[in-house]
Amino acid sequence: MKKILSLLIIAVLLLGIMTGCNVQTKDQVTGGNTSETSNEPVDLNLLAMSSMEKDANILRDQLSKAGFNVKLNIQPDYSSYVGQKDAGNYDMAITSWNTVTGNPDYAVRSLFISNGDYNDYGLVNEEIDRLINEAATQTSDQYVATYKTFEEVLVKENAYIIPLYSNYKSQAVNNTILKVDSVRLSKSRSLPWENVDFIDESKGNSEPLIFSQTMPSLTSLDPIKGNDGSINIINTNMYVRLVNLTDNDEVTSVGSLSHNHAIGEGNTEYYFILRDDINFAKVDNKKAVDSGELVAAEDVVFSMDRARNKDSVPDHRTFTLHSSMEKIEIVTDLKELESKKQSGNASSIKDGLEAGLSTTIKELVADKAQVSNKDGKYQVVKITTNKPFPQVLNYLAHQSAGIVSKKQIEAVNTYNVATFDRNKDVAYGDQMTITEGATYDNTLMTSGPYIAIYKNDYEIAFQKNPGYMISTSHEPKVSNIVVKFIKDADSSLSAFRSGEIHFLYGIPEDKFEIVENDSKLTLQKRPNNAVVYAFFNMKGGSEFSDVNLRKAILYNVSQEEFIAVYNNLKINAYSTVTPLVDTGNIHLKDHSKANEFLNMYWESKE
């Protein structure tokens, strides 16, 4: 009996020594893999904005359980997040992408093609480039297989991204103040402010409509210099475009600068007949005034040329979206419209452009001073693409295709792009020019329904463009809009419920029930095109340039856990293409694969 007791004591002591040791074994790190190639956990610096802190915590917990040493780098806003990313202070970062144009090319080109606007993390893959360009020329019934292969190369073969989930687009309306049916919820398009109206319509000229947004730092009010949540909604409502998207992502001319558009045979020529009831707005003594300058064909040509030219402005963030455009020109020969046929249609381009017009085309003019739609004098712009590319219309509906004033841009942007110095040169659309104080010098001229008047630390104010589609259904219903800067989601909801703001974008899923149980609030939601994912820093000899290490992380991530945390109000995703194209690809956590790839990574380090 004493001998047995002694053996038990020795066993307990040995166990205590082992469990007291702080060094993890390889078995502990890999969750059971018995290879002895290493016993060190992999350090991982995970970057995210505070608005995605919950996602960062879920991902950290999953990877920590798998043996990774995860350190969170949570930044308070988008500007700070970008600063950390640009400085390379991350191994993996969480982000989201919303395909606001409703077409799959937008879901991939800027993010994953070599040298894309938002591909600044070291992804270079010739096969991915080829697949993106191939799919861009295909119709919707053809590109499903191409995008399926693209996703497999992006995720399965290389683990360039870690898909986390897709989600619902949500917003809520105070139904005691606003007409609920005037507040549209589109799948992709930002909310058109000009449609929103008070229940008491008399308030439209006397009281401001009040929204909120989380990001107080605005990237740029020049539509081609930003493509993020700080300005997408704002620039969409400050600059008109050649076409729009319907609430279900169909391209339409309704509410745009064009009466109609038509596609020529071969899908490389796109024609737009312009309306003549939109003038640029400008700001005078903090008041929106009609500049008297027609938004015309020369402004369209200028705007599209600078949109497609990478070197037209410093830090151009949207040029790849418009790289398919080879030539933009004003059509003055009426015979061209009469002789050319529409794509898939026996009728002429002229027939397509004239559909529904009260006055037919009698003359095409280049000079904006000669335009008179009621007299049959129109302007027509033609865009020619470098290859058949119907998706160009979706890009023309994007905020970056907003029409700017040629005259004003050339007057303001007198700097040399190659030697631009942000410390002394002032670019059109810089937020400091509308910020109250010493830097205020509002030089905006906007073609859309609203123009920004001023900005401070607490809000940005807009006024109705007095020269925008007057006496039509698209004339803005409300004269003044104020967007409050409220960073915290709970604070935004509190302000909304108390009536301080009339409308709230982006209701968190765990707050749906609160809104639905409040009789004065109406929740609107639908699946949208946004996908949340993580990507790696693969620049400068990063450890995460190793594909096996990335795959080890990929297969340790469970989307089902994310969805469960969000009460099943998230949707599985495989890539940013998922909401637009059903490729059949799905991501599943696989513990054995994760261990296999982690083991291969360690072996390569020996």
Side-chain angles (χ1 to χ4, degrees), residues 80-298:
S80 302
Y81 170 87
V82 170
Q84 289 290 299
K85 182 170 69 70
D86 289 347
N89 296 332
Y90 74 102
D91 297 314
M92 185 164 68
I94 298 177
T95 189
S96 65
W97 183 261
N98 188 7
T99 303
V100 295
T101 60
N103 64 308
D105 189 73
Y106 179 82
V108 298
R109 184 169 296 275
S110 287
L111 298 172
F112 307 123
I113 203 165
S114 299
N115 300 314
D117 306 279
Y118 286 83
N119 180 357
D120 54 3
Y121 49 94
L123 195 166
V124 178
N125 186 298
E126 291 182 359
E127 180 66 0
I128 282 180
D129 292 350
R130 184 190 69 78
L131 290 165
I132 289 174
N133 288 323
E134 179 182 345
T137 67
Q138 297 174 326
T139 57
S140 58
D141 59 329
Q142 297 171 324
Y143 61 45
V144 174
T146 307
Y147 282 120
K148 178 179 177 64
T149 303
F150 158 81
E151 285 190 326
E152 290 169 349
V153 176
L154 180 76
V155 181
K156 181 179 179 181
E157 295 179 15
N158 291 285
Y160 287 131
I161 68 167
I162 310 296
L164 302 181
Y165 58 80
S166 182
N167 55 24
Y168 288 88
K169 186 175 185 178
S170 63
Q171 57 192 31
V173 183
N174 187 319
N175 57 44
T176 68
I177 297 174
L178 302 180
K179 296 178 181 178
V180 175
D181 60 1
S182 75
V183 184
R184 291 166 54 182
L185 180 61
S186 304
K187 186 176 183 184
S188 299
R189 184 183 176 185
S190 295
L191 173 70
W193 291 349
E194 69 265 27
N195 297 137
V196 182
D197 200 3
F198 290 105
I199 294 174
D200 181 354
E201 295 178 3
S202 65
K203 292 182 178 180
N205 291 321
S206 59
E207 295 187 17
L209 185 63
I210 306 175
F211 304 155
S212 68
Q213 75 172 42
T214 60
M215 300 179 181
S217 180
L218 309 179
T219 304
S220 177
L221 300 176
D222 182 339
I224 65 172
K225 290 192 67 178
N227 189 18
D228 60 78
S230 75
I231 48 78
N232 279 340
I233 293 173
I234 289 173
N235 283 345
T236 296
N237 285 284
M238 289 211 301
Y239 299 95
V240 73
R241 295 159 301 284
L242 283 171
V243 289
N244 283 322
L245 293 178
T246 67
D247 291 346
N248 293 313
D249 286 351
E250 296 174 354
V251 176
T252 179
S253 289
V254 175
S256 75
L257 181 59
S258 65
H259 290 291
N260 290 308
H261 64 276
I263 306 174
E265 286 183 310
N267 295 335
T268 60
E269 295 178 327
Y270 303 82
Y271 295 83
F272 307 85
I273 185 166
L274 307 188
R275 57 193 305 151
D276 67 349
D277 59 354
I278 303 177
N279 286 352
F280 286 103
K282 65 179 182 179
V283 176
D284 187 8
N285 291 322
K286 290 194 174 181
K287 296 285 186 182
V289 298
D290 184 346
S291 70
E293 180 185 337
L294 181 69
V295 181
E298 66 184 63

Side-chain angles (χ1 to χ4, degrees), residues 7-26:
L7 289 173
L8 285 172
I9 293 170
I10 292 170
V12 169
L13 289 172
L14 287 173
L15 180 62
I17 292 170
M18 290 179 66
T19 57
C21 180
N22 290 323
V23 179
Q24 288 181 289
T25 67
K26 175 68 180 297

Side-chain angles (χ1 to χ4, degrees), residues 414-431:
T414 57
Y415 55 78
N416 184 307
V417 174
T419 59
F420 178 80
D421 184 347
R422 65 181 65 254
N423 294 314
K424 65 177 183 179
D425 295 322
V426 179
Y428 175 85
D430 192 315
Q431 66 172 340

Side-chain angles (χ1 to χ4, degrees), residues 279-322:
N279 286 352
F280 286 103
K282 65 179 182 179
V283 176
D284 187 8
N285 291 322
K286 290 194 174 181
K287 296 285 186 182
V289 298
D290 184 346
S291 70
E293 180 185 337
L294 181 69
V295 181
E298 66 184 63
D299 301 300
V300 174
V301 173
F302 175 78
S303 298
M304 296 303 97
D305 274 333
R306 72 193 294 264
R308 70 191 178 113
N309 178 8
K310 180 180 179 180
D311 300 318
S312 62
V313 292
D315 196 30
H316 195 330
R317 299 292 287 179
T318 58
F319 64 92
T320 59
L321 303 186
H322 306 292

Side-chain angles (χ1 to χ4, degrees), residues 425-456:
D425 295 322
V426 179
Y428 175 85
D430 192 315
Q431 66 172 340
M432 76 176 188
T433 63
I434 66 164
T435 301
E436 291 181 316
T439 64
Y440 184 88
D441 181 21
N442 195 329
T443 57
L444 293 178
M445 283 189 72
T446 65
S447 58
Y450 288 92
I451 186 168
I453 304 301
Y454 70 82
K455 173 186 179 292
N456 55 39

